Amino acid sequence: MWEYAVAVAAYLLGVDPLGPPVAPAASVVPAVPVAPAVPAASGASAPPGAPGAPNTPGGDTGGGALFSDGDPGRAVEVHTSDAAFAGAGDLPAVLDAVAGRAGSAGGRGHLSIVAYLDPDEARGQGTQVRRLAGLLAARCARPVTVAWGCRYPAFGNDHQEKGVYLMVTGNVVRDVPVPDRHHRLGAVQLAQALADARAARGGGRPVVRLHLQNRWSGLARLLDAARGGA
């Protein structure tokens, strides 16, 4: 099943599925500095900017979010420096723009969702992210891939001029410290996401990063927005 799906996706993208990957661009980008943080209280997500938020998101270029969609503490923040997406005023409009950009590349575009979340389908967000991929694939009628932040995104083998990247990050409820360091794993994960976004953008790829102030309610909001435009 998966082998067949990979072969079809490779054929549509015009790539060799057995070819060696190009070295990931993110590996040559200087790391985003990680600031020390105080852990959030167990069982609740600290709001962005609060002292208790270990992974408070900033803009991918150091500023704030373009806008937030939803109630404080449960909103989805939109971060992008791409002028083509900057005119979107709400979450459905952002997803429309992302799907439209991937689907308007002369039949050779594709969308890559890179999620810096828990891929476990039972206890994490794996099922919801894959549902989002399916909804967006129906909207753009192009291949949609899902990658997780624990692996390098395939920046070097993705048709640099065609791929659109939708990166999803989220607040961490129960974070853990990095041994012998003054920061926590949530901050390291966010720093990796920012570095990957900067690498993709530096390679000429359109990038939108969505930050979930609450992972579960944020993904539910994303799914509702994706279904509304289907």
Side-chain angles (χ1 to χ4, degrees), residues 24-34 60 114-116 148-153 155 167 169 184-200 209:
S27 63
V28 298
V29 175
V32 176
V34 178
D60 293 342
V114 186
Y116 299 81
W148 300 95
C150 56
R151 308 178 182 92
Y152 280 119
F155 293 139
M167 297 184 168
T169 56
R184 306 176 76 83
L185 286 178
V188 175
Q189 185 181 51
L190 180 61
Q192 179 64 56
L194 296 178
D196 289 344
R198 186 169 58 183
R209 182 172 66 87

Side-chain angles (χ1 to χ4, degrees), residues 100-194:
R101 186 78 169 266
S104 64
R108 300 189 62 190
H110 74 282
L111 172 62
S112 179
I113 299 176
V114 186
Y116 299 81
L117 306 172
D118 184 351
D120 189 279
E121 295 190 358
R123 296 173 295 177
Q125 295 84 43
T127 298
Q128 289 79 5
V129 171
R130 291 182 175 88
R131 285 176 183 166
L132 177 64
L135 292 169
L136 293 178
R139 293 176 66 169
C140 66
R142 296 301 305 151
V144 176
T145 61
V146 175
W148 300 95
C150 56
R151 308 178 182 92
Y152 280 119
F155 293 139
N157 193 27
D158 69 341
H159 286 273
Q160 177 173 332
E161 73 282 10
K162 303 297 184 183
V164 179
Y165 281 83
L166 181 65
M167 297 184 168
V168 185
T169 56
N171 276 2
V172 177
V173 175
R174 295 177 178 85
D175 207 349
V176 294
V178 178
D180 302 321
R181 295 292 187 271
H182 296 292
H183 48 261
R184 306 176 76 83
L185 286 178
V188 175
Q189 185 181 51
L190 180 61
Q192 179 64 56
L194 296 178

